[in-house]
Each structure stands twice: as C-alpha cells, then as structure tokens.
Amino acid sequence: MAPQVLDRVARLADGWFPFYNDDLESQIQSVRAAAREAGRNPDDIGVECIQPMGDCGGAELDRLKSLRDMGVTHASVITMSHGLSEPSDHIDAIRRYWDSVASKV
C-alpha cells in the first residue's frame, strides 16, 4: 500500500478497509504511528480487513486471531470466485463461516 494512503488514513480517517496482505501488520503499525504523530489516538481509527473466505478450518481461525492481535477491529470475507451461483449460496457460505470460524474468535 502506498505510504501516502497510510498517511491519509492516519491523519483523516475514522476507519480503514485494507485487503488482507502479507504486509498488513506493518501497514497497521505505520498508520498507528502516523496517527500519534498527527496528535490522534490510533484507537479511534477502526480497521476492517477484507479477506477471501477460506476453508472454514483451523487456518482461518488462526488468521482471524492474528488479525485481532494486529489491531484489526472488524473482518469481512469475500464469497466471490467460490463457485456460488445463487444469493442463498453466498448466505449459506457466510453462515458456515460464522458457525465454524468467526464465532470462535
């Protein structure tokens, strides 16, 4: 993510919606540090991580716990590209994800 974006989030935003990526933890730390430098409380900036929906197993649970530990305040999953054709299929997939993973964090 471009440093300019992280700086704008730190100075101006009430929240941030990054996609899950390998550098997310350092990006969150950068936003928090820049917010402090700008005289803001970093805790006032919510972070909702958008991530692909995985297999609803232990790896997903570990990822959500890791996100929480990084300072992510909310998480959402993307159900597109999973071969789901009907809206009800997406709803069912989200329900399974909640029951198997998200409700345990």
Side-chain angles (χ1 to χ4, degrees):
M1 177 140 324
Q4 301 89 332
V5 172
L6 300 177
D7 180 63
R8 279 192 299 273
V9 169
R11 289 183 298 107
L12 304 170
D14 294 328
W16 178 38
F17 297 87
F19 283 92
Y20 181 82
N21 67 82
D22 292 336
D23 294 325
L24 184 61
E25 185 169 17
S26 67
Q27 293 166 356
I28 291 171
Q29 290 172 356
S30 294
V31 166
R32 293 181 65 79
R36 282 190 287 276
E37 289 173 18
R40 297 188 65 202
N41 180 350
D43 293 336
D44 291 341
I45 304 170
V47 179
E48 179 174 336
C49 181
I50 303 164
Q51 59 183 335
M53 186 178 68
D55 64 2
C56 295
E60 291 297 309
L61 183 57
D62 290 344
R63 180 167 47 187
L64 279 182
K65 288 178 181 177
S66 173
L67 291 172
R68 178 193 59 201
D69 294 344
M70 286 182 210
V72 170
T73 56
H74 298 79
S76 60
V77 293
I78 298 170
T79 59
M80 294 182 293
S81 301
H82 282 34
L84 305 172
S85 58
E86 299 295 323
S88 61
D89 297 335
H90 292 267
I91 293 167
D92 291 342
I94 292 167
R95 186 172 290 120
R96 280 191 307 275
Y97 186 86
W98 171 260
D99 291 343
S100 301
V101 180
S103 65
K104 294 178 170 64
V105 177

